[in-house]
Amino acid sequence: MQKHNFSAGPCVLPKEVLQKASESVLNFNNDNLSLLEISHRSKPFVDVMENARALALELLGLEGKGYKALFLQGGASMQFLMVAQNLLEKRAAYLNTGTWANNAVKEARIFDDILEVASSKDANYNYIPKGYDIPEDHDYFHCTSNNTIFGTQMKTFPNSPIPMVCDMSSDIFSRSLDFSQFDLIYAGAQKNMGPAGTTLVVVKEDILGKVSRKIPSMLDYKVHIGKGSMFNTPPVFPIYVSMLTMQWLKDLGGIAAIEKENEKKARLIYSEIDLNPLFKGFAAKEDRSDMNATFSLINDDLKETFETMVQEAGINGLNGHRSVGGYRASMYNALTLDSVKVLVEVMSELEHKA
Amino acid sequence: MQKHNFSAGPCVLPKEVLQKASESVLNFNNDNLSLLEISHRSKPFVDVMENARALALELLGLEGKGYKALFLQGGASMQFLMVAQNLLEKRAAYLNTGTWANNAVKEARIFDDILEVASSKDANYNYIPKGYDIPEDHDYFHCTSNNTIFGTQMKTFPNSPIPMVCDMSSDIFSRSLDFSQFDLIYAGAQKNMGPAGTTLVVVKEDILGKVSRKIPSMLDYKVHIGKGSMFNTPPVFPIYVSMLTMQWLKDLGGIAAIEKENEKKARLIYSEIDLNPLFKGFAAKEDRSDMNATFSLINDDLKETFETMVQEAGINGLNGHRSVGGYRASMYNALTLDSVKVLVEVMSELEHKA
Ligand SMILES: Cc1ncc(COP(=O)(O)O)c(C=O)c1O
Ligand SMILES: Cc1ncc(COP(=O)(O)O)c(C=O)c1O
Ligand SMILES: [Mg+2]
Ligand SMILES: [Mg+2]
Ligand SMILES: [Mg+2]
Ligand SMILES: [Mg+2]
């Protein structure tokens, strides 16, 4: 049975990418060796790494603007630490829009006290705070572009007087933005980019090298840049599959093309949530995420019926995170409009049944 | 053409493991979803993680002895840092047997001065120092069981009066040892365990929690243990393939069975190196590694002929590391005796030609 995979991450990847990835495990580059067996210093893999780094900058429109792309290990959670370790000298400013933003603050606090410029904790993070000030005398401002758990998304970004760092784990490559307004972007691969096991970091080189602490090699962006993202053995397979996914996106027409699809999918699910009297949305309308739609049944008696119908339709990964409850439809780049149509049909069928 | 893959890592993996890994990328668990697409919190993947952790302890004979197994990101190089961060309070003692041992010292020096108990740097690390003292008032003793680059291997381990930490990246699961003499073992997956992108850490829990510094979450063994090695999204595919490889080894008869094969392979290559007048070995005989045989041509004029013959035989990855030069035959668990026979035949053919 065909699956419709609404999982929040790891999540759906393009079919042709999976096909090619599967083949590469048996025979890479037609060389009778598996991608998993070749040296990371061999030309075929160095080419993969260089291609992946170039594609990331190209898709974001950041070529020739002083940025470097790295594919590191450790997940986005390791970036919570590395950002502070590399950039925090005196004090940093963070916007608190949910669980992940909070975790980023928590890791940075190991080095110093952190200023929370604003928070939406008062309403269980169902909106994005606005109208806050970012103090000029801080080292950097950190925000989370898309809050995977709560289904909110920053539609605009502040005009920051200090370097702006953004966790884009759950909406990288999904919408057009002026990415040059950010000085450091990071994203775990396992939503819009590839399998779990690598993290993209795009950093403007001139913000580095300004802290006085000694940075361990593995946590030092400058060390990784100096070694072309190969300071030590990189996670070969996750990087290769990320490269394939970025190539797939480029061939589709890049971010501008996928953004249109993502908008269609979001419009479809949110209009069903709003018009269907059985469901209600969680996030404030103006801050709704195009990636993760959070919603719930108004009447919990329908829970079992709905979930059975969902399962029978081949829909996977729809459960909400425990911090919010209800449902979460994650609609990353590789999820088709058809999958959203299947979900919306189930929701509307439930209305007619009930 | 069939390849004989002597690469130092990433390296050869069992054919049936690659076959199953390739299938899982398209359809995992017969569920019409890719392994790369499912949530790491879903039961099928949690089972993989738990199975992998259990297999590691079982293969090492460390079940029920107070050890925990973790599959982390960052490579062995990240362990150079994490070991010191979690265990170094006052001073630690390191044995310097080569490049990787040195790099481990370098990262630990960020926290404090390090005592080098002995070093074989005087002879470009072609032997393992013996007869050194390990001071009782240090926090731990760190050694490298197999020196991938130089082709030396510790055949015995000191009776350490303090916790013993061992980098087993290049000989884990290859030979029978009393693994309970170690308090912490780590190994990057990409030699004897699986693809690049995860690192096995096996740690005796009672050595943890004794340092006074605040440890960042991602670098804290206790945090990872508390979360069952799922503090954040784990590298799903590298862990799955590592689990398959450990299962393959268990089915073969475990470490005791593979050790016999590894000894046969090592005996074959070293006797050719010794008996063939065209070649000489690099490492001191008593310290020769069963995993990585380092050797060179006595007469460099034969270089081109030899390398052409090597290539025509389908042999891959035989170049030595630049620190040693010459050749390095890495003969990890999944390399067959037949592949070593092919190499030895080429070497002996060269003798008859010359
Ligand atoms: C926005 C955001 N940041 C950070 C993370 C943590 O990522 P990782 O598990 O790779 O550490 C997640 C995970 O879902 C996320 O959605
Ligand atoms: C013995 C040893 N330790 C550490 C490393 C570094 O491993 P990684 O590249 O995973 O950081 C290597 C790599 O070959 C190694 O052979
Ligand atoms: Mg969140
Ligand atoms: Mg409604
Ligand atoms: Mg070495
Ligand atoms: Mg000889």
Side-chain angles (χ1 to χ4, degrees), chain A residues 237-258:
Chain A
F237 185 78
I239 293 171
Y240 174 67
V241 184
S242 296
M243 184 208 78
L244 293 178
T245 311
M246 289 188 286
Q247 187 63 54
W248 165 85
L249 179 55
K250 182 182 165 181
D251 293 346
L252 271 185
I255 290 180
I258 206 77

Side-chain angles (χ1 to χ4, degrees), chain B residues 273-277 279-280:
Chain B
I273 290 170
D274 289 340
L275 297 176
N276 188 323
F279 293 95
K280 62 173 193 283

Side-chain angles (χ1 to χ4, degrees), chain A residues 13 22 37 73-74 107 217, chain B residues 13 22 37 73-74 107 217 232:
Chain A
L13 290 171
S22 170
E37 297 185 305
Q73 294 187 62
E107 294 310 309
S217 313
Chain B
L13 290 170
S22 170
E37 297 185 306
Q73 293 187 65
E107 293 311 308
S217 314
N232 71 328

Side-chain angles (χ1 to χ4, degrees), chain A residues 60-305:
Chain A
L60 298 172
L62 291 177
E63 294 156 301
K65 293 185 177 163
Y67 290 82
K68 290 281 192 271
L70 299 171
F71 287 88
L72 303 180
Q73 294 187 62
S77 298
M78 188 62 92
Q79 294 312 308
F80 299 161
L81 172 61
M82 284 179 70
V83 162
Q85 192 131 25
N86 284 266
L87 303 178
L88 182 53
E89 182 72 19
K90 284 193 189 135
R91 218 172 171 219
Y94 278 67
L95 177 64
N96 182 1
T97 52
T99 308
W100 300 115
N102 247 305
N103 287 351
V105 169
K106 196 180 146 214
E107 294 310 309
R109 283 226 163 98
I110 291 203
F111 299 100
D112 226 315
D113 194 33
I114 293 296
L115 172 71
E116 199 178 86
V117 295
S119 167
S120 48
K121 191 172 179 190
D122 55 344
N124 196 24
Y125 302 111
N126 76 353
Y127 71 99
I128 301 284
K130 285 153 205 107
Y132 47 85
D133 285 320
I134 300 173
E136 269 181 57
D137 61 352
H138 281 51
D139 299 315
Y140 62 88
F141 166 68
H142 180 283
C143 58
T144 311
S145 56
N146 185 73
N147 298 285
T148 326
I149 292 176
F150 302 95
T152 63
Q153 189 174 34
M154 295 177 77
K155 301 300 174 181
T156 58
F157 291 84
N159 200 333
S160 174
I162 52 179
M164 182 152 63
V165 175
C166 189
D167 175 358
M168 293 196 186
S169 290
S170 51
D171 69 353
I172 187 95
F173 301 139
S174 72
R175 56 170 168 163
S176 308
L177 285 173
D178 172 10
F179 292 99
S180 73
Q181 68 190 302
F182 305 99
D183 297 272
L184 192 154
I185 295 167
Y186 63 89
Q190 67 269 13
K191 280 87 152 104
N192 270 334
M193 198 171 76
T198 191
T199 303
L200 172 66
V201 174
V202 174
V203 57
K204 202 159 183 189
E205 266 195 282
D206 65 11
I207 67 166
L208 300 176
K210 299 193 172 161
V211 292
S212 51
R213 79 174 57 83
K214 213 170 159 188
I215 306 174
S217 313
M218 278 296 290
L219 303 181
D220 189 338
Y221 293 127
K222 281 173 84 83
V223 167
H224 289 288
I225 291 171
K227 297 286 187 176
S229 202
M230 291 255 226
F231 171 68
N232 71 329
T233 319
V236 166
F237 185 78
I239 293 171
Y240 174 67
V241 184
S242 296
M243 184 208 78
L244 293 178
T245 311
M246 289 188 286
Q247 187 63 54
W248 165 85
L249 179 55
K250 182 182 165 181
D251 293 346
L252 271 185
I255 290 180
I258 206 77
E259 179 177 37
K260 286 197 195 119
E261 286 305 300
N262 288 334
E263 284 170 355
K264 278 188 219 159
K265 293 184 282 177
R267 216 173 297 131
L268 186 58
I269 184 84
Y270 286 121
S271 63
E272 182 64 27
I273 291 169
D274 289 339
L275 297 176
N276 188 323
L278 304 182
F279 293 95
K280 63 171 191 283
F282 172 79
K285 283 194 182 175
E286 62 182 4
D287 300 325
R288 280 173 165 176
S289 165
D290 282 2
M291 294 285 104
N292 315 93
T294 42
F295 61 100
S296 58
L297 280 165
I298 287 169
N299 178 351
D300 251 358
D301 294 350
L302 294 171
K303 187 173 146 72
E304 225 187 287
T305 319

Side-chain angles (χ1 to χ4, degrees), chain A residues 18-19 21-26 36 237, chain B residues 15-37 237 240-241 244:
Chain A
L18 293 173
Q19 188 62 49
S22 170
E23 285 162 17
S24 78
V25 171
L26 294 178
L36 311 185
F237 185 78
Chain B
K15 283 280 162 283
E16 54 259 57
V17 165
L18 293 174
Q19 188 62 49
K20 195 137 191 228
S22 170
E23 286 162 18
S24 79
V25 172
L26 293 178
N27 187 0
F28 178 60
N29 244 357
N30 252 334
D31 206 23
N32 260 324
L33 283 168
S34 165
L35 169 68
L36 312 185
E37 297 185 306
F237 184 78
Y240 174 67
V241 183
L244 293 177

